[in-house]
C-alpha cells in the first residue's frame, strides 16, 4: 500500500486515518530525538559504534559501578542532558492537546516528550532525569545530585545510586508495561516513530496492536523490522521534517 505513493500522498492518507481514529497511540524510539542531537544506539553514528553496550548491563554495572558511572555520566548527563525537544516532540504534544493522540509509549529515556508538553507519556525503559537508590529505593532528580565524585550515593542510606532507566538484564516497570498492552488492545491507529523494533520486549507492542486491528503509520528515514511486515503507511523521512508536514495537514492554523 505504501510504496507506490509519494510522501505527500502518504501524509494525506495518514492525516485522514488520524482524524478518523477514536484512539491513537504514538510509539517512539531513539530516532525521534536524533534531531535534538541525541544519537540512537544502532546504525550510522549510533552510540554502540563508540561505546560498549555491556556498560549498560546491570550485572556489569553492579560489579564496576565507578567505571559504569564514568561512561553513563559522559553519555547521558554531560551530553544528553542539554538536548531540547524538536518539532516531532512538539507536534505530538499538540496532537495530544487536540485529541489526535491518546498516549505516547516511548522507549526513550530522555524526558523530551514531557518537556515538549505531552501529558500521557509511558516510559517503557524509565527516565535518565531521575536516579534511584539501589538500597532504599529513594528517588532523586538527577540535577540535584553531583556527579563530581563517582559513583554517586544516597543521602539517606549511603547506597549506590543508579539512573532510573532500565539496564539490560532488568525488568520493564509494571505501569508502562500494562499501559503498552492496553494501548495495543484499544488503539485503532499506532504511529511508530524512529525505532528499529529490535529491543525485546518493547518491540512486540506494535505487532500486538496490528493483530488487534490497529492501522500502522510509521515514520523513519530507513526501513525497520516493522516496515515490510505490519506498516500500512510508511512516511519515509526524518521525524521532525515529516511531523512538521503532517502538522500542516492536521492543524489549522499550522503549528
Ligand atoms: P535504535 O537506536 O535501535 O534505532 C534508531 C532508529 O531511529 C532507526 O530505525 C533509525 O533509522 C531511526 N532514525 C534515525 N534518525 C532518525 C530521524 N531523524 N527521525 C526518525 N527516525 C530516525 O533505537 P530504538 O529502536 O529506540 O531502541 C534502542 C533503545 O535505545 C531504546 O530502548 C531506548 O531506551 C534507547 N535509547 C534512547 C535514547 C533516547 O532516550 N533519546 C537514545 C539512544 C538509545
Amino acid at each position: 500500500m505504501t510504496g507506490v505513493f509519494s510522501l505527500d500522498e502518504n501524509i494525506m492518507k495518514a492525516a485522514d486515518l488520524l482524524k478518523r481514529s477514536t484512539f491513537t497511540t504514538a510509539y517512539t524510539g531513539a530516532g525521534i530525538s536524533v534531531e535534538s542531537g541525541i544519537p540512537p544506539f544502532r546504525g550510522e553514528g549510533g552510540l554502540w559504534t563508540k561505546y560498549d553496550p555491556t556498560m549498560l548491563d546491570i550485572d556489569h554495572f553492579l560489579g564496576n559501578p565507578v567505571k559504569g558511572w564514568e561512561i553513563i555520566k559522559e553519555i547521558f548527563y554531560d551530553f544528553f542532558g542539554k538536548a531540547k525537544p524538536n518539532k516531532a516532540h512538539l507536534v505530538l504534544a499538540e496532537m495530544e492537546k487536540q485529541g489526535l493522540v491518546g498516549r505516547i509509549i516511548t522507549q526513550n529515556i530522555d524526558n523530551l516528550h514531557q518537556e515538549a508538553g505531552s501529558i500521557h507519556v509511558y516510559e517503557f525503559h524509565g527516565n535518565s532525569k531521575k536516579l534511584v537508590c539501589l538500597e532504599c529505593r529513594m528517588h532523586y532528580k538527577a540535577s540535584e545530585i553531583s556527579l563530581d565524585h563517582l559513583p554517586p550515593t544516597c543521602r539517606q542510606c549511603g547506597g549506590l545510586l543508579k539512573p532510573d532507566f532500565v539496564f539490560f538484564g532488568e525488568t520493564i516497570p509494571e505501569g508502562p508495561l500494562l499501559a503498552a498492552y492496553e494501548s495495543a488492545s484499544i488503539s485503532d491507529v499506532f504511529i511508530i516513530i524512529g525505532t528499529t523494533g529490535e529491543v525485546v520486549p518493547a518491540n512486540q507492542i506494535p505487532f500486538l496492536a496490528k493483530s488487534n486491528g490497529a492501522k500502522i503509520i510509521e515514520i523513519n528515514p530507513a526501513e525497520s523490522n516493522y516496515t515490510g511486515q505490519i506498516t500500512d503507511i510508511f512516511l519515509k523521512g526524518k521525524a521532525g521534517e515529516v511531523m512538521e508536514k503532517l502538522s500542516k495537514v492536521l492543524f489549522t492554523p499550522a503549528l
Side-chain angles (χ1 to χ4, degrees):
M1 172 177 174
T2 64
V4 292
F5 297 103
S6 69
L7 177 61
D8 285 345
E9 285 169 323
N10 277 331
I11 282 178
M12 296 305 288
K13 286 171 188 287
D16 186 51
L17 264 186
L18 288 163
K19 283 179 184 165
R20 285 189 289 114
S21 168
T22 52
F23 195 92
T24 292
T25 294
Y27 175 83
T28 65
I32 195 171
S33 298
V34 166
E35 287 150 278
S36 294
I38 301 178
F41 277 165
R42 295 168 188 77
E44 205 187 314
L47 290 167
W48 296 156
T49 59
K50 192 170 169 204
Y51 297 100
D52 177 359
T54 54
M55 282 300 156
L56 292 185
D57 179 277
I58 188 65
D59 292 330
H60 188 277
F61 174 76
L62 294 176
N64 308 268
V66 175
K67 191 78 203 143
W69 257 109
E70 281 169 4
I71 302 288
I72 287 165
K73 175 176 180 287
E74 186 177 321
I75 305 177
F76 297 100
Y77 297 99
D78 294 346
F79 177 47
F80 266 42
K82 299 178 182 72
K84 294 277 170 283
N86 66 53
K87 196 78 190 179
H89 299 103
L90 295 169
V91 170
L92 271 184
E94 183 61 25
M95 285 172 73
E96 182 180 355
K97 227 181 263 167
Q98 298 202 13
L100 292 163
V101 158
R103 61 173 67 149
I104 297 174
I105 308 290
T106 188
Q107 297 169 82
N108 293 348
I109 57 174
D110 56 26
N111 206 49
L112 293 184
H113 285 303
Q114 292 91 329
E115 286 175 38
S118 291
I119 308 290
H120 297 100
V121 182
Y122 295 88
E123 296 168 309
F124 217 82
H125 293 151
N127 190 314
S128 62
K129 300 285 160 100
K130 287 183 277 171
L131 306 183
V132 59
C133 172
L134 294 179
E135 298 298 326
C136 70
R137 308 305 298 177
M138 176 89 175
H139 282 80
Y140 295 92
K141 280 187 188 163
S143 57
E144 288 173 353
I145 300 290
S146 164
L147 297 180
D148 291 343
H149 299 287
L150 298 176
T153 51
C154 180
R155 287 185 198 138
Q156 193 164 269
C157 76
L160 174 65
L161 295 182
K162 174 192 157 292
D164 198 18
F165 58 74
V166 176
F167 281 36
F168 297 122
E170 290 192 297
T171 51
I172 306 300
E174 192 180 60
L177 188 65
L178 293 176
Y181 282 118
E182 188 188 50
S183 290
S185 71
I186 62 174
S187 301
D188 42 23
V189 175
F190 244 62
I191 177 162
I192 304 175
I193 308 176
T195 177
T196 51
E198 283 181 23
V199 179
V200 182
N203 64 350
Q204 294 308 306
I205 302 301
F207 287 108
L208 197 58
K210 177 76 175 185
S211 69
N212 287 332
K215 290 282 183 204
I216 309 291
I217 300 167
E218 182 181 10
I219 301 174
N220 200 312
E223 294 198 356
S224 73
N225 283 348
Y226 303 115
T227 319
Q229 295 200 65
I230 58 168
T231 298
D232 294 294
I233 301 178
F234 186 48
L235 304 177
K236 186 173 165 54
K238 294 180 178 174
E241 292 173 12
V242 172
M243 289 297 279
E244 180 159 24
K245 285 189 169 194
L246 190 59
S247 75
K248 289 191 173 135
V249 184
L250 285 175
F251 312 141
T252 37
L255 187 69

